Amino acid sequence: IDWLGFTLSLPIFMQDDEPEMLRWLIGQLFKVFGLPKVTIEPTKSGWNGYDYRVNIGEKAQHGLIAFGGKNQRGTFHTELNATACAHVADWNTIRQWGESNGAKITRVDLAHDDIEAKIVSIATARAWYEAGEFTTSGRPPDAHLIDDLGSGKGKTLYIGNRANGKLLRVYEKGRELGDPSSPWVRVELELHNKNRVLPWDVLTSPATYLAGAYPCLGYLSTKQDKIRTISKAVEITLESMQRYLR
């Protein structure tokens, strides 16, 4: 797990006390998630429609918390980056915490490292794409390559589109970190909750969801889970049923 974003609704007993909720949430990040007790820095701006934002660590080293705003309905949003996720010792505990508190995952990144590039490389991923191995719904996803032109800084192949809620990156991680001769390749899937529900068990079974994302990644796990999109027709039908029931 290389990134986790989630939204949490204010409990009944805290609905009129945002400062108390913020203190509680920060305490949970330290106690349950295992984040180091870094400074919490208020900022002068909001974030993605929220009125207020605080950084977790200096210059948002570990992520951020956003809250406030009439349209946000009393919710608190947390973004934990790769640095923060590296401190989590037990993702099952986080899963139980999220489910018991009614939190909703809005973004999760699943990463697999091929340190020696024995199976995955940029060339291999390009061949998979050309063979249609990234096609899941009849049409091949968007793709583009960032080429380092031999500089040794590392190439990155992007599959999909963040705007659609599903983006895969295959990139030369070792070279990105500064070793121009490193074979280390990372496969990283970024999922958002746009037209899809991200289940909390993605945190405890990341390999099965990464393997189920595209046909060519099936080798990562004999068991494969898919996060399916919610079609607009289903959304409209559900809304009309709710109106009828009211």
Side-chain angles (χ1 to χ4, degrees), residues 103-116:
K104 180 175 69 174
I105 297 178
T106 58
R107 173 183 172 179
V108 64
D109 290 10
L110 312 177
H112 167 71
D113 290 310
D114 191 337
I115 304 298
E116 300 296 332

Side-chain angles (χ1 to χ4, degrees), residues 104 128 150 155 162 168 187 215 217-218 221 233 240:
K104 180 175 69 174
W128 285 343
K155 302 179 180 67
R162 182 180 286 114
L168 185 79
V187 178
L217 300 183
S221 174
S240 63

Side-chain angles (χ1 to χ4, degrees), residues 7 10 26 31 35-36 42 50 56 58 67-68 100 118-119 132 145 152 167 170 172 176 187 205 242:
T7 300
L10 278 166
I26 292 170
K31 180 180 178 180
L35 268 61
Y50 286 92
I56 307 170
E58 185 178 354
F67 61 97
S100 64
K118 291 182 177 179
I119 296 179
L145 175 69
L167 176 67
V170 181
E172 295 172 324
E176 180 196 63
V187 178
S205 303
Q242 289 173 332

Side-chain angles (χ1 to χ4, degrees), residues 125 129 134 141-144 157-161 166-170 214:
Y129 181 78
F134 286 105
D142 296 337
H144 68 277
L157 177 64
Y158 292 90
I159 305 290
N161 191 323
K166 184 179 180 182
L167 176 67
L168 185 79
R169 292 178 288 272
V170 181
Y214 298 102

Side-chain angles (χ1 to χ4, degrees), residues 181-200:
S181 62
S182 173
W184 178 6
V185 172
R186 171 168 285 188
V187 178
E188 190 171 86
L189 177 66
E190 179 181 327
L191 291 169
H192 293 260
N193 67 332
K194 181 175 182 180
N195 294 331
R196 52 176 60 83
V197 176
L198 304 178
W200 279 94

Side-chain angles (χ1 to χ4, degrees), residues 4 15 49 56 82 90 105 120 125 133 142 153 177-178 190 211 218 227 246:
L4 177 63
Q15 285 189 352
I56 307 170
D90 183 3
I105 297 178
V120 185
E133 289 294 308
D142 296 337
K153 293 182 179 181
L177 294 175
E190 179 181 327
I227 297 176
R246 281 198 294 269

